[in-house]
Amino acid sequence: MLVGNKSDLRHLRAVETDEAMAFSEQHNLAFIETSALDASGVDTAFQRILTEIYRLMSRRNMAAEENANAPDLSAGQTISLSSDKQERRNCCGSG
């Protein structure tokens, strides 16, 4: 996954969105722009990467079951990705 951060600072952009998208497509990567300042794209980026990890682990688990050497991934912890807005804390000691 390619993540463009600080998307709120468009006037200081070093890489244009089109260029980043082309790079991510060329290298078979997901692309998203985020801004910690206004929290845009941050939740989506985490959800996408967690979904991809889950998909890869599920695929690995299924392959292992076929080989009778399956690790038990079902005993893992459930993580809720609800859309409920929780109180956000500022990072880096600001505010």
Side-chain angles (χ1 to χ4, degrees):
M1 174 179 274
L2 178 62
V3 179
N5 192 24
K6 299 190 181 289
S7 63
D8 54 291
L9 300 176
R10 296 197 186 282
H11 63 287
L12 298 175
R13 185 177 295 269
V15 178
E16 292 299 322
T17 301
D18 292 341
E19 183 181 352
M21 288 176 68
F23 180 88
S24 65
E25 288 176 13
Q26 185 178 34
H27 294 280
N28 198 27
L29 299 170
F31 173 69
I32 189 167
E33 289 187 315
T34 64
S35 169
L37 180 68
D38 62 16
S40 63
V42 176
D43 289 339
T44 303
F46 276 105
Q47 287 177 357
R48 286 174 68 180
I49 198 68
L50 288 173
T51 299
E52 183 65 13
I53 291 169
Y54 177 80
R55 187 183 65 77
L56 291 171
M57 292 302 294
S58 294
R59 184 183 295 165
R60 182 184 296 174
N61 191 29
M62 287 173 42
E65 286 175 358
E66 291 174 2
N67 295 330
N69 295 327
D72 184 17
L73 297 178
S74 62
Q77 184 179 12
T78 301
I79 299 172
S80 175
L81 298 176
S82 68
S83 62
D84 295 339
K85 297 282 183 185
Q86 295 179 349
E87 179 182 332
R88 296 194 186 273
R89 298 180 193 159
N90 292 333
C91 74
C92 309
S94 61

